[in-house]
C-alpha cells in the first residue's frame, strides 16, 4: 500500500502519478495530530503553514514549517519501503531528516531525498533543524 502525504493547506494538494491510477495525496496541515486510527500525524502541532504562491505546482507550492524537535509519526506497511521526502531547509544550506534510524540529507539545491526502510510499525520522522516539509511518499519496494 502506497502512502502519499502533501504538507500544507487543503487548497493545494498534489496528485500522485506513475504508481497505478492517479490519486490525490493526503493533505497534512500544521494541526494534523497523530491519530492511531488514521496512522499518521504530528505529535505536537507544527509551527505554521507556508505558501509560496508564485510556484505553480500544487505539490511544491505549500508546506508546513516545523521546528527542530517536531515529530511526524506514520504507520508504515510491512516489508521494505522506499521513503521519499521533499523539504526546504530554513537555517543554512541543508537539513538532516531521520526515519527508522536512516538519514536523509535535504539541501537547498536538492530538495528531495530517499531511503529504503523496513516497515511494519509506527515510525517517527524528525528533522535536525527548522525546515518546511513539502511532501512524502512511502512506496513498497518491488522484490
Amino acid at each position: 500500500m502506497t502512502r502519499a502525504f502533501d504538507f500544507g493547506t487543503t487548497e493545494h494538494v498534489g496528485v500522485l502519478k506513475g504508481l497505478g491510477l492517479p490519486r490525490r495525496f493526503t493533505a497534512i496541515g500544521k494541526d494534523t495530530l497523530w491519530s492511531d486510527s488514521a496512522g499518521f500525524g504530528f505529535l505536537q502541532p507544527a509551527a505554521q503553514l507556508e505558501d509560496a504562491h508564485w510556484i505553480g505546482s500544487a505539490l511544491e507550492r505549500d508546506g508546513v514549517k516545523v521546528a527542530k524537535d517536531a515529530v511526524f509519526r506514520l504507520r508504515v506497511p510491512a516489508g521494505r519501503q522506499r521513503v521519499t521526502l521533499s523539504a526546504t531547509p530554513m537555517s543554512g544550506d541543508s537539513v538532516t531528516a531521520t526515519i527508522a534510524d536512516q538519514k536523509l540529507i535535504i539541501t537547498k539545491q536538492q530538495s528531495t531525498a530517499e531511503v529504503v526502510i523496513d516497515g511494519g510499525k509506527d515510525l517517527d520522522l524528525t528533522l535536525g533543524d527548522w525546515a518546511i516539509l513539502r511532501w512524502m511518499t512511502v512506496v513498497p519496494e518491488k522484490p
Side-chain angles (χ1 to χ4, degrees):
M1 173 177 92
T2 297
R3 306 217 57 190
F5 303 103
D6 185 350
F7 297 91
T9 69
T10 56
E11 297 170 11
H12 309 287
V13 180
V15 175
L16 181 64
K17 298 177 183 174
L19 296 170
L21 294 173
R23 63 177 182 259
R24 288 172 58 93
F25 279 65
T26 300
I28 305 293
K30 73 179 192 68
D31 296 317
T32 303
L33 296 179
W34 166 255
S35 160
D36 190 58
S37 61
F40 58 83
F42 290 105
L43 297 189
Q44 299 290 326
Q48 69 185 49
L49 293 173
E50 292 290 318
D51 184 15
H53 60 85
W54 57 89
I55 295 177
S57 165
L59 192 58
E60 299 290 346
R61 175 180 172 152
D62 58 357
V64 173
K65 186 187 289 186
V66 294
K68 177 178 178 175
D69 56 354
V71 177
F72 181 77
R73 179 169 291 163
L74 65 149
R75 182 159 299 129
V76 179
R80 303 280 290 160
Q81 306 287 329
R82 179 170 301 277
V83 176
T84 306
L85 176 68
S86 175
T88 303
M90 294 188 62
S91 303
D93 291 331
S94 68
V95 65
T96 301
T98 304
I99 187 167
D101 297 323
Q102 300 286 325
K103 302 223 181 282
L104 300 99
I105 309 297
I106 304 283
T107 67
K108 289 188 176 176
Q109 294 74 33
Q110 182 63 42
S111 63
T112 61
E114 61 183 31
V115 65
V116 176
I117 62 170
D118 290 316
K121 54 193 163 209
D122 295 342
L123 296 174
D124 291 343
L125 171 72
T126 60
L127 288 102
D129 208 340
W130 283 83
I132 300 170
L133 291 174
R134 300 282 181 202
W135 57 267
M136 178 171 55
T137 57
V138 181
V139 179
E141 280 283 278
K142 295 189 187 318

